[in-house]
C-alpha cells in the first residue's frame, strides 16, 4: 500500500528530529574525545617512567624474588591454574562496533589461551561486557560499572585494590587486560596485555608497551631492602596499567561514538533527501491529477 503524502511528511519531520539528536550526540562525543586526549598526553609521560623503572628492576633480577615467592604460594595452595580476563567495555550503547569488537577480540584470545571454560573467569568493567558473559553462563567474578567519561585515578584505585586482593588470595593466577586501543578517530585496535604476575622475560624482550628495553650492566643496590622497594613500585605499576587501559578504552569509546553518530546523521540526511523527493513526486502527481480533472470537467461542460 502506497504511503500518503501526510505519512511521508510525518516521516520527514521525525527523521529531522532524529538527525538533530545524533548531531548533538556527535558534538558531545567529540568534545569528550578532545578532553580525554589532553589527559592521555600528560598521563603517558607518567606511565612511561613507571614502566621504565619496572623494566630496570626486571633486568637487574629484583623481580625474580617476587616471582619465586608467588610461585611458592601457588604450589602451597594446590589449586588448578586459573586465568582472569579484565574486559573493558562501555556502560551504554550507540557507540558503533566498539563493544562488539572488544568482546569478539576477547573471545578469540580466550579460545586460543584457555579453551576450557573451567580454567578462566571474567572481570568486567562496563555493563555491556558483564551482561554478555553472564547471559552465556561465563564465570563473571567481578563487575564494575559507572566509570566516568573522563576517568580519574582515584576511582580506578577501587578496581585495582579489588583485583590485587583477588590475586593475593589466589582467586586467579594470571590476569590479562582486554580492551580497545585508540589509534586515531577512525581506527581502534584490540589489545590483550598480561598484567599479573609480572613476567621478567617479557620486560627483558622489551614487550612493555612503547618503552624500549634498556641495557643494565650491574644490579641495583637497594635500601632498605628489595621487598620494601617492590611493595611501593609494584602497586604503582599495576595501577598505571589498569588506569592506562581504561583511559585508552574510554578514548576509543568516545571516538567510536562520535563516528557512529556522524554516520547516523549522514544516513538521516540521505533518508530525508529520498523522502523529500518522494513527497515532491507525490505532490506533483496530485497537482497533475487535479489539473486533469479540471480540464476534463471544462471539456464536459462544452458538450
Amino acid at each position: 500500500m502506497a504511503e500518503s503524502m501526510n505519512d511521508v511528511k510525518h516521516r520527514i519531520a521525525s527523521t529531522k528530529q532524529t538527525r538533530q539528536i545524533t548531531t548533538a550526540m556527535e558534538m558531545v562525543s567529540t568534545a569528550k574525545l578532545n578532553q580525554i586526549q589532553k589527559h592521555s598526553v600528560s598521563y603517558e609521560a607518567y606511565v612511561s617512567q613507571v614502566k621504565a623503572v619496572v623494566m630496570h628492576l626486571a633486568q637487574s633480577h629484583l623481580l625474580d624474588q617476587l616471582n619465586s615467592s608467588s610461585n611458592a604460594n601457588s604450589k602451597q595452595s594446590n589449586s588448578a591454574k586459573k586465568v582472569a580476563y579484565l574486559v573493558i567495555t562501555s556502560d551504554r550503547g550507540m557507540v558503533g562496533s566498539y563493544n562488539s569488537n572488544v568482546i569478539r577480540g576477547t573471545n578469540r584470545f580466550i579460545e586460543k589461551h584457555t579453551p576450557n571454560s573451567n580454567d578462566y573467569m571474567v572481570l568486567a568493567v562496563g555493563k555491556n561486557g558483564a551482561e554478555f558473559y553472564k547471559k552465556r553462563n561465563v564465570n563473571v567474578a567481578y563487575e564494575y560499572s559507572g566509570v566516568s567519561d573522563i576517568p580519574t585515578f582515584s576511582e580506578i584505585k577501587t578496581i585495582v585494590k579489588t583485583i590485587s586482593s583477588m590475586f593475593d588470595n589466589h582467586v586467579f593466577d594470571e590476569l590479562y587486560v582486554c580492551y580497545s586501543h585508540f589509534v586515531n578517530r577512525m581506527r581502534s585496535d584490540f589489545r590483550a596485555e598480561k598484567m599479573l604476575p609480572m613476567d621478567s622475560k617479557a620486560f627483558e624482550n622489551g614487550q612493555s608497551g612503547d618503552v624500549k628495553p634498556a641495557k643494565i650492566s650491574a644490579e641495583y643496590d637497594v635500601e632498605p631492602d628489595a621487598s620494601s622497594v617492590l611493595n611501593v613500585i609494584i602497586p604503582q605499576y599495576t595501577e598505571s596499567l589498569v588506569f592506562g587501559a581504561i583511559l585508552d578504552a574510554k578514548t576509543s569509546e568516545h571516538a567510536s561514538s562520535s563516528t557512529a553518530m556522524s554516520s547516523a546523521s549522514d544516513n538521516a540526511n540521505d533518508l530525508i533527501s529520498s523522502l523529500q523527493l518522494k513527497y515532491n513526486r507525490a505532490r506533483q502527481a496530485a497537482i497533475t491529477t487535479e489539473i486533469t480533472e479540471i480540464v476534463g470537467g471544462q471539456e464536459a461542460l462544452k458538450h
Side-chain angles (χ1 to χ4, degrees):
M1 182 177 178
E3 286 183 295
S4 66
M5 289 179 59
N6 286 335
D7 291 336
V8 175
K9 193 174 182 179
H10 177 72
R11 286 185 63 191
I12 292 173
S14 62
T15 305
K16 285 182 177 180
Q17 291 178 348
T18 302
R19 182 182 61 184
Q20 288 179 342
I21 295 172
T22 56
T23 301
M25 292 180 68
E26 178 190 354
M27 293 174 64
V28 171
S29 295
T30 302
K32 290 177 180 178
L33 176 60
N34 294 333
Q35 189 176 356
I36 199 172
Q37 281 183 299
K38 294 179 182 178
H39 286 262
S40 300
V41 170
S42 59
Y43 178 74
E44 284 174 3
Y46 164 77
V47 74
S48 178
Q49 291 299 319
V50 173
K51 285 184 177 182
V53 170
V54 176
M55 185 182 294
H56 284 206
L57 292 175
Q59 293 178 329
S60 61
H61 307 292
L62 284 179
L63 283 181
D64 293 342
Q65 301 178 29
L66 181 67
N67 290 333
S68 60
S69 175
S70 298
N71 291 334
N73 291 334
S74 297
K75 290 179 181 178
Q76 290 177 0
S77 64
N78 293 323
S79 59
K81 185 177 181 181
K82 280 274 189 180
V83 181
Y85 296 95
L86 179 63
V87 185
I88 304 173
T89 58
S90 70
D91 292 323
R92 58 189 179 87
M94 292 187 287
V95 289
S97 59
Y98 170 78
N99 290 310
S100 59
N101 288 342
V102 174
I103 292 173
R104 187 184 305 112
T106 301
N107 289 342
R108 289 174 180 172
F109 189 81
I110 290 175
E111 288 175 5
K112 182 178 179 181
H113 289 80
T114 49
N116 189 345
S117 60
N118 295 322
D119 294 337
Y120 73 88
M121 65 188 67
V122 169
L123 314 179
V125 175
K127 287 183 181 178
N128 278 275
E131 291 175 357
F132 176 86
Y133 286 106
K134 284 194 291 187
K135 286 180 180 178
R136 286 154 182 80
N137 297 320
V138 175
N139 179 16
V140 180
Y142 172 73
E143 58 179 294
Y144 185 95
S145 60
V147 176
S148 304
D149 289 326
I150 312 297
T152 60
F153 200 77
S154 58
E155 67 178 313
I156 302 306
K157 275 195 169 185
T158 303
I159 302 174
V160 175
K161 185 177 181 180
T162 303
I163 292 173
S164 299
S165 177
M166 294 173 72
F167 179 71
D168 293 338
N169 293 323
H170 307 292
V171 177
F172 55 82
D173 304 296
E174 287 186 356
L175 176 66
Y176 289 88
V177 185
C178 305
Y179 65 100
S180 179
H181 167 62
F182 174 78
V183 179
N184 54 50
R185 295 189 178 220
M186 301 300 296
R187 177 188 164 193
S188 295
D189 294 336
F190 172 77
R191 277 190 178 180
E193 298 177 347
K194 186 175 181 179
M195 189 177 80
L196 293 172
M198 290 190 175
D199 192 343
S200 297
K201 292 182 179 179
F203 282 106
E204 291 170 0
N205 295 330
Q207 299 172 8
S208 179
D210 299 326
V211 181
K212 295 182 179 180
K215 293 182 179 180
I216 306 299
S217 58
E219 296 186 357
Y220 280 110
D221 291 328
V222 181
E223 292 183 2
D225 55 69
S227 178
S228 298
V229 172
L230 292 176
N231 287 337
V232 174
I233 296 297
I234 301 308
Q236 288 187 15
Y237 177 74
T238 305
E239 290 172 354
S240 68
L241 276 186
V242 175
F243 183 66
I246 292 178
L247 199 64
D248 197 0
K250 274 292 180 181
T251 306
S252 179
E253 177 187 336
H254 295 322
S256 182
S257 177
S258 177
T259 302
M261 293 302 99
S262 177
S263 298
S265 298
D266 292 341
N267 291 336
N269 286 330
D270 293 340
L271 180 57
I272 290 170
S273 297
S274 176
L275 290 173
Q276 193 69 56
L277 180 61
K278 187 175 183 180
Y279 176 80
N280 291 339
R281 286 177 175 173
R283 185 181 178 189
Q284 184 179 18
I287 292 173
T288 302
T289 301
E290 186 176 350
I291 293 174
T292 302
E293 290 176 351
I294 293 172
V295 172
Q298 289 179 340
E299 290 296 327
L301 290 175
K302 292 180 181 179
H303 300 287

